[in-house]
Amino acid sequence: MRAVRFHEYGEIDVLRVEDVPRPSPGPGQVLVEVRAAGIQPGEVMIREGARHGRWPAAFPSGQGSDLAGVVVELGAEARGFAVGDEVLGFTHNRASHAEFVVVDDVNLVSRPRGLPWEVAGSLYVAGTTAYATVFAVDPVPGDTVVVSGAAGGVGSLAVQLARRRGASVIGLAGERNHAWLKERGIVPVAYGEGVAERVREASGGRVDAFIDTFGDGYVDLAVELGVRPERINTIRDWRAAARVGARTYGEGSAACAVVLGQLARLAARGELEVPVARTYPLEQVRDAYRELELGHTHGKIVLCPWQPSVIRPRPSPG
């Protein structure tokens, strides 16, 4: 099969798409033919070696956690799925940026009818992170919540989930994304110089909670706006959070198939929009990360390893 690999830490050019042996599922696992797999900013930091102390790479290293696809083989004692089932889920083995991936059965849920592949394959990290950030600040009807990076992969979901809780939501984003936010009941505010005054004007002078998905000083902005530390959550600026006593709930705080299933059902019913900025074939993984690293995409960037014109022999079940 074809899979993304890198053999040393570095910039985008260390990424390769290589022929590697197709894996076989072990006990409690299934083999999934990957139709779509989202890419994440955290994968950039791992590839560059910036997270070596916490998540060291063993070379050659793969990439990817999010995935959606079709079950093609079952390991012994695998439960809940059959060959041919359409699923979405995640792996913690940096392996979903490939044509096939082995996944623990407890990390998969059935793909709801009508959920597009590119949405299903990019929902896990962004979705569970957004869910955790909203849980952390616990918005209630009558609250005003500010979300930085409100049009990004996590922020675009966080604003919707906070709005579903009955809160008034202010989204910090570039002007090109203001119309999208307005259409979803979010009050858009431009970021940049003077943002504190613009937020005060938009909120009537009261901000109850702040969700930071971007970093770069937004924790300090929340303090300046009078938000209590326990109602500030950041997924990027851990030093500032430690300094002021803010929360740092992220993907790991809600990383389970139960939450993923809830989000998938909301998305399939049209109650949660998962914006997809662009899809790329696996062979263009470098181009995908170039776009991601520009930092201005609206929603998710997704790799699509599966090509319907390519006929592959499928392993027999068991």
Side-chain angles (χ1 to χ4, degrees):
M1 69 171 188
R2 302 287 281 167
V4 175
R5 291 286 186 271
F6 59 99
H7 295 253
E8 60 183 336
Y9 290 131
E11 301 298 325
I12 290 172
D13 60 1
V14 303
L15 293 175
R16 307 177 186 176
V17 179
E18 300 179 340
D19 290 315
V20 301
R22 184 161 63 187
S24 297
Q29 297 180 324
V30 302
L31 182 65
V32 177
E33 185 179 54
V34 181
R35 299 293 177 90
I39 69 174
Q40 322 297 335
E43 290 158 356
V44 175
M45 291 185 282
I46 291 173
R47 185 197 73 226
E48 292 177 341
R51 291 290 180 266
H52 179 80
R54 187 173 182 184
W55 295 304
F59 300 119
S61 176
Q63 283 197 150
S65 55
D66 290 28
L67 64 102
V70 178
V71 175
V72 295
E73 185 178 353
L74 304 176
E77 302 175 8
R79 303 246 194 284
F81 301 99
V83 170
D85 284 353
E86 298 179 352
V87 296
L88 66 149
F90 57 95
T91 173
H92 296 306
N93 296 327
R94 301 180 193 167
S96 70
H97 295 169
E99 293 178 320
F100 294 88
V101 61
V102 166
V103 188
D104 293 342
D105 58 10
V106 295
N107 293 342
L108 292 171
V109 297
S110 296
R111 182 173 75 115
R113 184 181 299 275
L115 187 67
W117 283 116
E118 62 271 20
V119 171
S122 61
L123 186 56
Y124 167 66
V125 169
T128 60
T129 302
Y131 182 99
T133 65
V134 174
F135 177 85
V137 303
D138 192 25
V140 296
D143 278 351
T144 296
V145 181
V146 177
V147 180
S148 68
V154 174
S156 60
L157 302 181
V159 293
Q160 296 177 74
L161 294 173
R163 194 76 183 90
R164 286 180 58 82
R165 296 279 293 267
S168 298
V169 181
I170 295 172
L172 304 184
E175 291 189 5
R176 65 177 180 168
N177 294 312
H178 284 193
W180 184 89
L181 291 166
K182 285 181 181 179
E183 290 169 0
R184 284 143 192 86
I186 314 302
V187 178
V189 168
Y191 58 79
E193 185 176 353
V195 65
E197 188 55 40
R198 290 193 292 275
V199 170
R200 289 190 183 98
E201 181 178 354
S203 65
R206 192 191 86 183
V207 176
D208 301 287
F210 200 110
I211 295 171
D212 170 35
T213 73
F214 194 81
D216 196 26
Y218 282 115
V219 170
D220 291 329
L221 172 63
V223 173
E224 180 183 346
L225 293 169
V227 183
R228 301 196 313 270
E230 66 270 22
R231 299 204 71 192
I232 302 170
N233 191 83
T234 180
I235 63 171
R236 299 293 294 273
D237 199 343
W238 300 285
R239 289 185 179 178
R243 174 165 43 83
V244 307
R247 296 184 170 185
T248 56
Y249 287 33
E251 173 217 327
S253 304
C256 67
V258 173
V259 170
L260 179 61
Q262 292 174 1
L263 297 171
R265 289 187 289 274
L266 286 174
R269 295 197 299 263
E271 298 175 28
L272 176 69
E273 181 180 349
V274 183
V276 174
R278 189 170 176 183
T279 62
Y280 288 86
L282 191 68
E283 302 291 338
Q284 293 180 20
V285 61
R286 292 183 180 180
D287 294 332
Y289 275 96
R290 285 190 186 97
E291 180 170 349
L292 177 74
E293 292 180 34
L294 291 175
H296 297 291
T297 55
H298 172 44
K300 296 295 299 179
I301 297 174
V302 187
L303 295 176
C304 295
W306 184 77
Q307 301 296 323
S309 61
V310 178
I311 300 174
R312 301 180 180 86
R314 293 176 180 265
S316 60

